[in-house]
Amino acid sequence: MTIKVGDTLPSATFRVATADGPVPKSTEEIFKNKKVVLFAVPGAFTPTCHKNHLPSFIARADEIFAKGVSTIAVTAVNDPFVMEAWEKASNAGGKIVFLSDGNGEFAKALGLDFDASGAGLGLRSKRYSMLVDDGEVLILNVEPVPSKADTTNADVLLTQF
C-alpha cells in the first residue's frame, strides 16, 4: 500500500551522521508535534538529485520556514556517511536535515520504493516531496519519472501550502 494524504507516517528509524558517528533518529523524533517538509531522492550525488532537486530546497528554505515549517529533511537509500558527504558538498548545513534510509525500510513502508537493479543501483526510493504535520501527510507529490524533479521540487511544494 502506498502512503497517501491523510495517512500517518509509519514508524521507522533513520541514521544521521554526527561528530560521534551515525546515530538513530526515529520518525517520532523528527515529526512529532512539528510541521516538516520531507523530500526523497533516488540517490545522493545522482545528477537530478544533486543538481536540481536538493538545490531547489536549499534555495527556497527561508520561504519554507516562513510558512511555519520547523524542519526540512531529505532522505535517500544511502548510508549515513554518503549522506553526510552530500550535505557538506552541497553546503546545505543548517537548512536541510539529511536522513539515511540505508536499507530502504522507510521507502518500503511508504510503498514508495522501486527496484533500480537494472541500472546497478538496487532498491531505491521514489522521488517525492511531502508536507507532514505531527506525523500526518498533508501534501504528497510523487514524481512519475525518477530522472525528473518537475512535480516534487520546492517551487511546486511552496504553491501547495
Side-chain angles (χ1 to χ4, degrees):
M1 183 174 128
T2 303
I3 193 103
K4 61 187 181 312
V5 171
D7 287 350
T8 299
L9 291 178
S11 196
T13 301
F14 298 99
R15 298 288 184 273
V16 178
T18 71
D20 298 323
V23 297
K25 199 146 185 125
S26 70
T27 47
E28 185 172 333
E29 290 174 84
I30 298 163
F31 299 99
K32 187 173 182 169
N33 298 319
K34 296 178 194 163
K35 190 179 281 188
V36 178
V37 164
L38 176 67
F39 67 102
V41 298
F45 291 110
T46 57
T48 302
C49 307
H50 186 64
K51 295 176 184 172
N52 299 67
H53 203 187
L54 174 62
S56 78
F57 283 93
I58 294 169
R60 306 293 299 270
D62 291 340
E63 293 169 74
I64 293 169
F65 291 132
K67 291 193 175 260
V69 170
S70 61
T71 305
I72 303 170
V74 60
T75 186
V77 181
N78 289 110
D79 67 62
F81 303 105
V82 169
M83 294 298 279
E84 179 183 35
W86 193 32
E87 178 180 2
K88 289 177 180 173
S90 60
N91 295 311
K95 291 186 179 186
I96 313 288
V97 175
F98 286 68
L99 303 171
S100 168
D101 183 24
N103 295 322
E105 294 163 0
F106 185 68
K108 287 180 206 172
L110 293 177
L112 293 174
D113 59 308
F114 75 99
D115 184 358
S117 297
L121 301 173
L123 170 83
R124 294 292 167 151
S125 175
K126 290 183 179 180
R127 185 182 311 280
Y128 62 83
S129 63
M130 61 173 68
L131 176 64
V132 181
D133 191 2
D134 194 23
E136 180 185 347
V137 178
L138 300 183
I139 299 169
L140 175 63
N141 302 307
V142 180
E143 197 70 49
V145 179
S147 62
K148 304 272 187 193
D150 298 333
T151 63
T152 57
N153 63 50
D155 298 337
V156 171
L157 191 62
L158 271 165
T159 67
Q160 298 174 309
F161 69 97

